[in-house]
Amino acid sequence: MSDDKKSKNTQSTSEEKLEKLFQKDITYIPKKGDVIEGEIISSSKSGIYLDIQGLTIGVVRGRELYNELEEYSNLKAGDKVSAIVLELENERGEMELSFREAGQKKAWDNLFDLLKKKETIEVKVIEANKGGLIVKIGPIVGFLPVSQLSPIHYPRVEGGNKTKILEKLKKLIDEKVKVVIIDIQEKEEKIIVSEKETEEIKKKIFNKYQIGDIVEGCVKEVVDFGIFVEFDEGLEGLVHISEIAWQRIDNPKNFIKVGDKVKVKIMGVKNFRFALSIKKTIENPWEALMRNYKIGQIVKGKVLQFNPFGAFIELNKDIQGLLHLSEFPDQLIKKASDVLKIGQVLNLKIISLDPNAYRLGFSIKDVKQDEEEK
């Protein structure tokens, strides 16, 4: 007789014996893969024995004993527990069972329930890669992509350097984060979770703040393109370099430092990221400029820095203008630095004023002509 026939005959005999036993009290006959309940008779290192409704004995042994669900820890005689049927009858006539697979099934069922309810859960970060974080949800492993991190955990890295992103993500290993499940692919054993989609984060963002609100925050990081400000227990936004001040800012690190307290105006929210402005929290100095200055007026200005077209001049702490090379007395000058020094104070004439474009033009040659005429 072939092994296949022997196996079929053995399985048939096992099912017939079980059918006779279960027909005493119930009509349900378990099959391989079914979840059944039993009462623990004894427990030892070699295995745990269960009474299956007084009709047969089940055994859980080897790797099938291990499961991370709490209900399978510290088991003792008399406890009722669920297990999955691996074999209807083993070599000793016992039903072969598994806690491991039963726990896995229960865990997956629980995950689908959490997905449906969009319920927030707390998970532990166990690993990190360049795409995100690996988290543990009971006995199941899930993935938290970088794009689904909350603003407080999002790795801000200039230029998107993947090595630096990974370094920041690794700092979250062993931390606990609150997430919601957003996708499950059981066959591939893939679970995608999101931190930014939790109701807690959503409520903070959409129920509390509106565009135009002014809030106080703390500078968390200064980069070439702006500064990141944290406010209200972890909410965070970017003040772009163009929104730091009304005057020209070439390097934010020369203007502000980590730890500084600042007032910011909420300019927008997109994908859970705030766009903030510091300069919009104060009066536009260009409006005051129109009230206090006019074209043709002689003023004092300090040389702030040079550029290929001339020199930037500081009229006051909020207003800067350009002294173009064409406005120097000597038309042969190729660089402003040849005749001027940083910090030098000059008498200048305002020759153009456009507050809408934030542009102010100065001249030296006209001032000298005026002085010579007097």
Side-chain angles (χ1 to χ4, degrees):
M1 185 181 290
S2 68
D3 290 340
D4 288 342
K5 287 182 179 180
K6 285 180 181 179
S7 176
K8 288 180 181 178
N9 288 339
T10 302
Q11 184 174 348
S12 177
T13 303
S14 299
E15 290 178 349
E16 287 171 4
K17 287 170 67 178
L18 283 168
E19 184 173 4
K20 289 177 183 178
L21 288 170
F22 278 81
Q23 280 176 349
K24 292 179 182 179
D25 298 303
I26 58 175
T27 56
Y28 170 69
I29 301 173
K31 303 182 294 295
K32 285 177 64 173
D34 284 355
V35 178
I36 63 170
E37 189 175 89
E39 183 176 318
I40 294 178
I41 302 171
S42 65
S43 176
S44 68
K45 291 182 179 179
S46 60
I48 293 178
Y49 291 86
L50 288 77
D51 173 21
I52 310 300
Q53 303 182 34
L55 301 174
T56 189
I57 300 298
V59 62
V60 186
R61 53 185 176 174
R63 66 193 295 265
E64 304 304 333
L65 280 167
Y66 303 106
N67 191 275
E68 296 182 35
L69 295 184
E70 287 185 10
E71 67 180 271
Y72 293 102
S73 61
N74 303 315
L75 293 174
K76 60 185 182 301
D79 287 347
K80 290 186 178 181
V81 67
S82 297
I84 276 188
V85 178
L86 297 181
E87 295 292 340
L88 296 175
E89 187 176 32
N90 63 17
E91 70 279 3
R92 292 181 294 189
E94 301 158 338
M95 185 178 287
E96 199 76 28
L97 304 171
S98 171
F99 288 159
R100 183 180 63 85
E101 290 197 19
Q104 289 278 327
K105 185 178 188 309
K106 183 169 284 189
W108 281 102
D109 289 344
N110 182 51
L111 292 175
F112 277 106
D113 189 50
L114 291 171
L115 173 65
K116 184 178 179 181
K117 294 178 179 177
K118 287 290 182 183
E119 191 173 324
T120 299
I121 55 175
E122 189 173 68
V123 298
K124 184 177 181 180
V125 179
I126 60 172
E127 197 179 329
N129 59 41
K130 292 178 182 179
L133 302 172
I134 310 299
V135 299
K136 202 71 180 291
I137 313 169
I140 310 295
V141 171
F143 184 58
L144 174 53
V146 171
S147 62
Q148 294 298 324
L149 289 168
S150 69
I152 192 173
H153 288 145
Y154 191 86
R156 303 180 303 273
V157 173
E158 198 165 347
N161 185 294
K162 291 185 178 181
T163 301
K164 291 183 178 180
I165 288 174
L166 181 57
E167 288 175 4
K168 286 182 175 285
L169 291 175
K170 282 183 175 180
K171 293 179 181 179
L172 295 171
I173 293 175
D174 292 329
E175 294 287 327
K176 290 184 177 180
V177 294
K178 291 182 178 179
V179 300
V180 291
I181 298 171
I182 58 175
D183 187 36
I184 294 178
Q185 300 170 29
E186 188 175 2
K187 288 184 179 179
E188 290 79 19
E189 295 189 352
K190 289 183 180 178
I191 304 168
I192 308 299
V193 300
S194 170
E195 184 184 24
K196 73 179 186 181
E197 290 282 350
T198 59
E199 287 302 314
E200 182 181 356
I201 296 294
K202 285 184 177 181
K203 285 178 181 178
K204 276 188 177 182
I205 293 175
F206 295 110
N207 294 351
K208 191 169 183 179
Y209 296 104
Q210 296 180 349
I211 293 175
D213 286 351
I214 293 177
V215 297
E216 187 171 301
C218 178
V219 176
K220 302 301 290 185
E221 190 169 354
V222 183
V223 293
D224 290 346
F225 56 84
I227 64 176
F228 288 92
V229 177
E230 180 185 352
F231 59 98
D232 190 15
E233 299 179 5
L235 295 182
E236 189 180 73
L238 171 67
V239 181
H240 189 266
I241 188 171
S242 63
E243 291 295 329
I244 293 176
W246 290 105
Q247 71 265 39
R248 179 187 176 89
I249 300 291
D250 291 308
N251 187 348
K253 293 177 182 178
N254 295 332
F255 184 84
I256 205 162
K257 63 182 183 297
V258 172
D260 284 352
K261 302 291 183 182
V262 293
K263 283 186 177 180
V264 293
K265 186 174 184 178
I266 297 174
M267 307 301 293
V269 184
K270 186 176 181 181
N271 294 329
F272 297 93
R273 297 182 189 176
F274 286 91
L276 307 173
S277 173
I278 293 177
K279 75 179 187 182
K280 296 291 174 55
T281 64
I282 58 176
E283 181 188 12
N284 185 345
W286 288 87
E287 294 177 0
L289 182 73
M290 290 297 293
R291 296 194 298 267
N292 300 320
Y293 298 92
K294 60 185 179 180
I295 292 176
Q297 186 173 346
I298 306 299
V299 297
K300 287 187 179 297
K302 183 169 69 176
V303 178
L304 196 63
Q305 68 181 72
F306 300 115
N307 74 3
F309 309 104
F312 282 109
I313 305 296
E314 183 182 75
L315 179 63
N316 56 48
K317 67 181 183 66
D318 295 316
I319 300 293
Q320 298 170 13
L322 177 66
L323 173 59
H324 197 273
L325 286 174
S326 62
E327 294 301 326
F328 281 72
D330 187 349
Q331 296 293 319
L332 298 178
I333 293 175
K334 294 183 178 180
K335 294 191 299 183
S337 58
D338 291 340
V339 293
L340 300 177
K341 295 179 180 179
I342 299 296
Q344 184 178 349
V345 177
L346 305 170
N347 287 320
L348 303 158
K349 186 174 185 178
I350 297 175
I351 58 172
S352 63
L353 201 167
D354 186 353
N356 294 322
Y358 306 124
R359 289 180 182 174
L360 179 62
F362 296 109
S363 174
I364 291 180
K365 67 181 181 181
D366 284 351
V367 173
K368 288 193 173 184
Q369 287 174 357
D370 290 345
E371 290 177 347
E372 289 170 356
E373 290 171 1
K374 287 180 181 178

